[in-house]
Amino acid sequence: LPFPGPCVPAGARRQVTATQLRERGNALFQAGDHAAALAAYTQALSLCDAGPERAVLHRNRAACYLKLEDYTKAEADASKAIEADGRDMKALFRRSQALQKLGRLDQAVSDLQRCVSLEPKNKAFQEALRALGSSMHEKMKTMSCTDSKVQQMFQILLDPEEKDADKKQKAAQNLIVLAREEAGAEKIFQSDGVRLLMQLLDTAKADLMLAALRTLVGLCSGHRSRTMAILAELGAPRLSAVLGVDHEQVSLAACNLLHVMFDSLKEGLQKDFRGKEDAVVLDPSKDLKLLIKHLLELLALEGASAHGRDNALNLLIKVVPRKSPKETNNSMSLWVIDQGLKKILEVGSTVCGAPGSLPVTENSRMSASVLLSKLYDDLKCDAERENFHHLCEDYVRSWFEGHELAGKLRAIQAVSCLLQGPSDAGNRVLELEGIMDSVLSLCASVCEAHQLVAVEALIHAADKAKRASFITANGVSLLKEIYKHSERDSIRIRALVGLCKLGSAGGTDFSMKQFAEGSTMKLAKQCRKWLCNETIDAGTRRWAVEGLAYLTFDADVKEEFVEDKAAMQAMFHLAKSEDRSVLYAVASTLVNCTNSYDHEEPDPQMLELAKYAKQHIPEQHPKDKPDFVKRRVRKLLTAGVVSALACMVKSENPALTNSCRELISRVFLALVEEAEDRGSVVAQGGGKALIPLSLEGTEVGQTKAAQALAKITITSNPEMAFPGERIYEVVRPLVSLLHLQRTGLENFEGLMALTNLAGISERLRQKILKEKAVPMIEGYMFEEHELIRLAATECMCNMAMSKEVQELFLAEGSDRLKLMVLYSGEEDEKLRRAASGTLAMLTALHPPICKRIPQVTVHWLEILQALLLSPSAELQHRGAVVVMNMMAAEREVAEQLIASEMLEILSVLAKDKDKP
């Protein structure tokens, strides 16, 4: 590591007193260097024990913080000075300035009044009090006229005679902005605002409805009692009806409002400052169930729009299942299964274009599958799962038996929906008498719509191991027949995907190919051809990606695909489109192309045994070797894979499941494997996309994303890779790599990345401390693996710039300091450099440590002498700084140093002109 700045004084160090440091701080403050003045006063405080002197230093620091616009710390320091001397006018005045900036005007006035009473003739105090008085008066005036403004805004919006569109838009915007502030939201609520907002909703004009819904979001955010009152006044049926309107933006705004209402009813951030929250709110569960009941009814309502139906499904996915298995109560999921499972299946079984079918989008069935899957995963015991299976079987039977062909199609479509979601339930209904036979017979139908439903069901069934062997026996010849002889591309493409799924049963095992040599390549070529054909609709082209997701298990297919830039870009274009159901197939294809799936290296002994027993041994394709993978990654990067992945991550759609997130994380980790590619990944938005992936999803997915972030942080400038506030969001994922269940490589990369962040700023070090990383970093300093031990020591070196970490080295009964001194005498030069750098930092920033060093080990002198006599100039430099700091800190320590051979060693080093 480059030697950190604060440890290297400009000249020979003298014994510096607190008074000298205060005077230096005063000079720096006068010169306008407020940050340096603050550092001088802070150092003086660490050397000063006298109460009055400390009060002056706190007062001076308050002045620095005011200049640096850190008003919270300015107030805290001024308060410490006032605690020591309640008549300190400078401290009182500075605190009043800080309080004024923090918006606490009444407290600021109180401090100023105290200043005036202590020095009545001081014109500066009088003027400040007068100015503050007038600003308080303005604030009161503003508050009093907010009532009339609220009425005025509603008047403009509700006046049918008002023709000025700009005026109406401004009034709507003002109302929304006012509702975002707690005081404004309460004012609207108290001014009969809910009734007036209801009138805006009833106008059926999109712009007014949007204004009303967005204002209601502000009123409900984090306020349970207000949400319950608003829900009681508006009524769940009205909100559900607004969600189901044709206007897409209005439906989305209603969805957002309902989500906020659910959150407030479930958690409530207790923003009710009147202190009556518990008295007002008894039990929000009735309201929750009422809202959910209406959402479930909306699913099966013929008059509801397709977008409204999708939004209702998305809401149910977000609010019904438990967020974590640690929550024990799954009663909401059980209630939804009993009350609404059949309504969800109504959406999932809809056959597009059939007479009387519900209006749906291309995403509706996927959303229904995801909701069913999440509900099934939320069940805790066999009895609950058995009930789920019975309800699904009853629903499928109700359509399959006693109905004509249309009913059988609905039943088969419901089976497809279940196979895409909770596949256990899908397999159960697939085994019902007559279902599989109907699927196979309808595959040969002359009607395109019927054939589509049956072929898709066959494809989804082929995915599930239970049925795969049956379908291989009965379906392959049928699918081949359809593929060869059907005149419709929409059918042929689906038949091809079925063949792809069955043909890729051997996965990446080169020796387990289902089809004749060259067949897989022909299928892949046809998939790429369809993918690039823009005259075919996007819904059908999606199936071409599904096919590639299976065919790209074959390395020859991967190689041809990355050579076809048009096909790659067509796939990326689909990934960015409205049809989000393609996300998983795109992510799977990319995982295959980058070989970012898990590889298990077989045990050589087990291989020998398998050969002896004549068992099958998996073989790797020659084109799956690292050089080929590296070339494929480069070609994907050139084609624009990062922007496609970033766009996929932004999706709020249920299709972005946790398993899909994991696949995307795997691809990102493969893309940043080579250091020279990381800059390009960051430039295309990869760094930003990785943060949400590292915070949400499966544990494997989060870890892969965190590791990709670590690789970027190690080799890039973190402040450029993660600009602004984003850099602070990276800390938690990096700390997660330090957990004991992570691999040694993940631990090492996490430590290296945190080392870089800890060297940037105190705020980042505070964030690392807050995430409780320091005990884990310390733990790895005892690690046997030398690289991990070194990375942990380097990380601690940078963390030692924080006051809290410095104090840890003086804690009673701690061996932290002893370890650093002993590591400074180790044989490993890099470890010595990190440890002695930490000692140089600690002794410069926290002088009491100098006194402790001779107490931690009897070898301290010989270790320091060994540093000074080292052939490495860097180690000599660190040793010299430690000795200098120890000489300056304590007379007793200085005497011990002089009594040794230290003076002669220093004399020799001082004459070495080659090492300035």
Side-chain angles (χ1 to χ4, degrees), residues 104-243:
R104 286 146 63 185
L105 302 185
D106 49 343
Q107 290 169 275
V109 165
S110 172
D111 277 353
L112 273 175
Q113 284 171 338
R114 179 94 175 115
C115 288
V116 171
S117 69
L118 289 167
E119 202 173 301
K121 292 182 180 178
N122 188 315
K123 287 189 178 176
F125 293 162
Q126 290 170 356
E127 188 55 43
L129 188 58
R130 199 165 25 251
L132 190 53
S134 69
S135 73
M136 277 193 78
H137 178 68
E138 281 299 315
K139 192 175 180 185
M140 295 300 290
K141 199 173 165 186
T142 306
M143 288 299 285
S144 64
C145 73
T146 303
D147 277 354
S148 60
K149 276 189 179 173
V150 169
Q151 295 300 332
Q152 202 180 345
M153 285 184 248
F154 277 118
Q155 211 169 345
I156 293 166
L157 291 168
L158 289 166
D159 184 0
E161 303 299 316
E162 182 59 71
K163 303 294 181 203
D164 188 339
D166 285 346
K167 197 173 177 183
K168 280 198 167 191
Q169 192 181 359
K170 197 172 180 184
Q173 197 55 44
N174 287 344
L175 203 59
I176 295 163
V177 170
L178 189 64
R180 285 178 189 152
E181 297 292 328
E182 173 55 31
E186 190 61 25
K187 193 61 71 180
I188 294 170
F189 184 69
Q190 298 294 350
S191 309
D192 198 22
V194 180
R195 186 182 61 79
L196 296 167
L197 288 166
M198 204 152 61
Q199 287 180 29
L200 287 178
L201 283 176
D202 292 343
T203 60
K205 291 178 180 173
D207 54 343
L208 297 181
M209 291 176 82
L210 283 169
L213 291 165
R214 287 166 183 166
T215 305
L216 284 164
V217 166
L219 266 59
C220 294
S221 286
H223 203 303
R224 211 181 335 166
S225 59
R226 210 157 49 210
T227 300
M228 290 183 80
I230 289 167
L231 186 55
E233 198 160 341
L234 286 177
R238 179 187 260 106
L239 287 168
S240 175
V242 176
L243 183 68

Side-chain angles (χ1 to χ4, degrees), residues 606-872:
M606 296 305 289
L607 275 180
E608 288 305 314
L609 281 171
K611 281 179 189 171
Y612 180 74
K614 294 186 179 172
Q615 286 187 344
H616 171 69
I617 300 161
E619 288 176 33
Q620 189 189 36
H621 195 292
K623 289 182 183 172
D624 270 335
K625 289 187 174 160
D627 285 349
F628 283 92
V629 176
K630 203 184 292 185
R631 277 201 295 274
R632 289 203 290 267
V633 166
R634 287 275 159 78
K635 281 173 182 165
L636 286 167
L637 283 167
T638 309
V641 67
V642 177
S643 60
L645 290 171
C647 195
M648 288 161 75
V649 173
K650 280 182 201 163
S651 168
E652 280 290 313
N653 197 280
L656 187 69
T657 57
N658 285 344
S659 50
C660 187
R661 284 171 170 276
E662 182 186 314
L663 294 179
I664 296 170
S665 297
R666 286 176 180 276
V667 177
F668 265 125
L669 184 56
L671 296 177
V672 298
E673 187 59 42
E674 299 299 317
E676 58 266 35
D677 295 333
R678 292 169 197 169
S680 134
V681 171
V682 170
Q684 293 176 58
K688 183 180 177 183
L690 278 164
I691 294 171
L693 289 172
S694 67
L695 296 170
E696 194 182 332
T698 65
E699 193 176 347
V700 172
Q702 285 179 290
T703 306
K704 301 276 182 197
Q707 198 182 353
L709 284 171
K711 286 179 187 288
I712 290 169
T713 310
I714 291 165
T715 54
S716 314
N717 176 349
E719 290 172 290
M720 289 178 73
F722 310 105
E725 292 297 301
R726 204 174 294 154
I727 195 168
Y728 302 99
E729 295 175 50
V730 177
V731 174
R732 182 171 296 171
L734 295 180
V735 172
S736 74
L737 293 175
L738 305 189
H739 294 150
L740 289 172
Q741 64 267 38
R742 303 284 175 259
T743 65
L745 178 62
E746 287 160 359
N747 298 155
F748 174 68
E749 290 183 331
L751 288 163
M752 293 269 286
L754 287 169
T755 302
N756 270 2
L757 291 187
I760 290 171
S761 71
E762 180 57 27
R763 191 176 160 201
L764 272 166
R765 288 189 286 278
Q766 288 300 322
K767 177 72 176 164
I768 294 168
L769 276 163
K770 195 177 171 186
E771 294 294 339
K772 300 182 171 59
V774 171
M776 290 189 272
I777 296 166
E778 283 182 340
Y780 287 113
M781 287 173 66
F782 293 94
E783 177 69 41
E784 280 184 31
H785 195 292
E786 58 188 36
L787 285 175
I788 295 177
R789 188 170 65 229
L790 170 64
T793 310
E794 287 178 342
C795 192
M796 188 57 77
C797 178
N798 282 356
M799 286 302 293
M801 287 189 263
S802 276
K803 189 83 175 163
E804 290 93 326
V805 178
Q806 293 158 24
E807 294 292 347
L808 291 174
F809 281 87
L810 286 175
E812 282 301 317
S814 158
D815 282 337
R816 294 182 182 95
L817 188 58
K818 181 179 181 178
L819 184 68
M820 279 300 176
V821 176
L822 292 174
Y823 275 0
S824 299
E826 282 281 314
E827 286 181 15
D828 179 347
E829 189 180 315
K830 286 182 180 174
L831 183 62
R832 285 178 79 191
R833 205 159 60 204
S836 56
T838 310
L839 286 181
M841 184 89 71
L842 289 168
T843 52
L845 296 174
H846 205 54
I849 283 174
C850 298
K851 189 178 177 181
R852 184 69 70 85
I853 288 174
Q855 298 166 14
V856 294
T857 171
V858 293
H859 303 294
W860 68 280
L861 254 176
E862 58 189 85
I863 287 170
L864 287 179
Q865 288 173 359
L867 285 172
L868 289 167
L869 293 167
S870 163
S872 160

Side-chain angles (χ1 to χ4, degrees), residues 133-388:
S134 69
S135 73
M136 277 193 78
H137 178 68
E138 281 299 315
K139 192 175 180 185
M140 295 300 290
K141 199 173 165 186
T142 306
M143 288 299 285
S144 64
C145 73
T146 303
D147 277 354
S148 60
K149 276 189 179 173
V150 169
Q151 295 300 332
Q152 202 180 345
M153 285 184 248
F154 277 118
Q155 211 169 345
I156 293 166
L157 291 168
L158 289 166
D159 184 0
E161 303 299 316
E162 182 59 71
K163 303 294 181 203
D164 188 339
D166 285 346
K167 197 173 177 183
K168 280 198 167 191
Q169 192 181 359
K170 197 172 180 184
Q173 197 55 44
N174 287 344
L175 203 59
I176 295 163
V177 170
L178 189 64
R180 285 178 189 152
E181 297 292 328
E182 173 55 31
E186 190 61 25
K187 193 61 71 180
I188 294 170
F189 184 69
Q190 298 294 350
S191 309
D192 198 22
V194 180
R195 186 182 61 79
L196 296 167
L197 288 166
M198 204 152 61
Q199 287 180 29
L200 287 178
L201 283 176
D202 292 343
T203 60
K205 291 178 180 173
D207 54 343
L208 297 181
M209 291 176 82
L210 283 169
L213 291 165
R214 287 166 183 166
T215 305
L216 284 164
V217 166
L219 266 59
C220 294
S221 286
H223 203 303
R224 211 181 335 166
S225 59
R226 210 157 49 210
T227 300
M228 290 183 80
I230 289 167
L231 186 55
E233 198 160 341
L234 286 177
R238 179 187 260 106
L239 287 168
S240 175
V242 176
L243 183 68
V245 298
D246 274 331
H247 196 285
E248 201 174 332
Q249 271 190 302
V250 172
S251 175
L252 198 59
C255 177
N256 188 30
L257 170 61
L258 284 163
H259 195 189
V260 166
M261 285 182 141
F262 275 115
D263 284 349
S264 298
L265 291 171
K266 272 182 159 184
E267 293 146 30
L269 298 178
Q270 312 299 315
K271 284 188 184 170
D272 199 338
F273 299 125
R274 294 168 298 169
K276 298 176 185 171
E277 188 76 325
D278 292 330
V280 176
V281 180
L282 296 168
D283 178 18
S285 62
K286 284 182 185 174
D287 288 306
L288 280 169
K289 282 189 174 174
L290 183 66
L291 279 175
I292 289 171
K293 177 173 172 280
H294 282 282
L295 286 178
L296 291 168
E297 284 172 4
L298 177 77
L299 295 180
L301 196 68
E302 283 184 24
S305 69
H307 294 295
R309 197 166 274 106
D310 276 6
N311 287 331
L313 285 167
N314 294 355
L315 254 178
L316 290 165
I317 289 166
K318 286 173 186 170
V319 301
V320 174
R322 291 172 294 167
K323 293 277 185 288
S324 151
K326 289 174 188 170
E327 293 174 38
T328 51
N329 185 1
N330 68 340
S331 59
M332 193 59 84
S333 288
L334 295 174
W335 185 81
V336 168
I337 288 165
D338 285 336
Q339 300 292 315
L341 184 71
K342 292 185 178 179
K343 292 184 175 76
I344 300 164
L345 283 167
E346 282 291 299
V347 181
S349 67
T350 296
V351 179
C352 295
S357 63
L358 294 170
V360 290
T361 70
E362 61 268 21
N363 294 313
S364 302
R365 206 159 85 235
M366 174 59 83
S367 297
S369 293
V370 171
L371 176 56
L372 290 166
S373 182
K374 284 191 175 283
L375 290 171
Y376 188 76
D377 290 344
D378 209 30
L379 301 177
K380 293 195 289 189
C381 63
D382 289 345
E384 291 173 1
R385 282 184 276 273
E386 204 54 42
N387 175 53
F388 188 97

Side-chain angles (χ1 to χ4, degrees), residues 354-478:
S357 63
L358 294 170
V360 290
T361 70
E362 61 268 21
N363 294 313
S364 302
R365 206 159 85 235
M366 174 59 83
S367 297
S369 293
V370 171
L371 176 56
L372 290 166
S373 182
K374 284 191 175 283
L375 290 171
Y376 188 76
D377 290 344
D378 209 30
L379 301 177
K380 293 195 289 189
C381 63
D382 289 345
E384 291 173 1
R385 282 184 276 273
E386 204 54 42
N387 175 53
F388 188 97
H389 289 311
H390 282 312
L391 288 168
C392 291
E393 286 168 10
D394 289 349
Y395 179 82
V396 172
R397 273 202 206 95
S398 71
W399 279 109
F400 193 73
E401 295 166 6
H403 284 82
E404 295 300 316
L405 182 61
K408 286 186 168 46
L409 287 168
R410 284 292 294 267
I412 292 169
Q413 193 78 304
V415 173
S416 276
C417 178
L418 287 164
L419 284 167
Q420 280 182 286
S423 55
D424 287 352
N427 273 318
R428 281 274 291 260
V429 291
L430 200 57
E431 285 164 13
L432 292 175
E433 192 180 343
I435 296 281
M436 201 65 211
D437 294 334
S438 292
V439 170
L440 292 171
S441 63
L442 278 168
C443 279
S445 169
V446 290
C447 171
E448 182 179 5
H450 300 172
Q451 207 177 5
L452 277 177
V453 171
V455 172
E456 282 188 23
L458 191 63
I459 291 165
H460 295 310
D463 216 6
K464 313 299 164 200
K466 267 192 180 181
R467 308 299 306 175
S469 54
F470 171 82
I471 292 160
T472 305
N474 298 276
V476 171
S477 55
L478 179 62

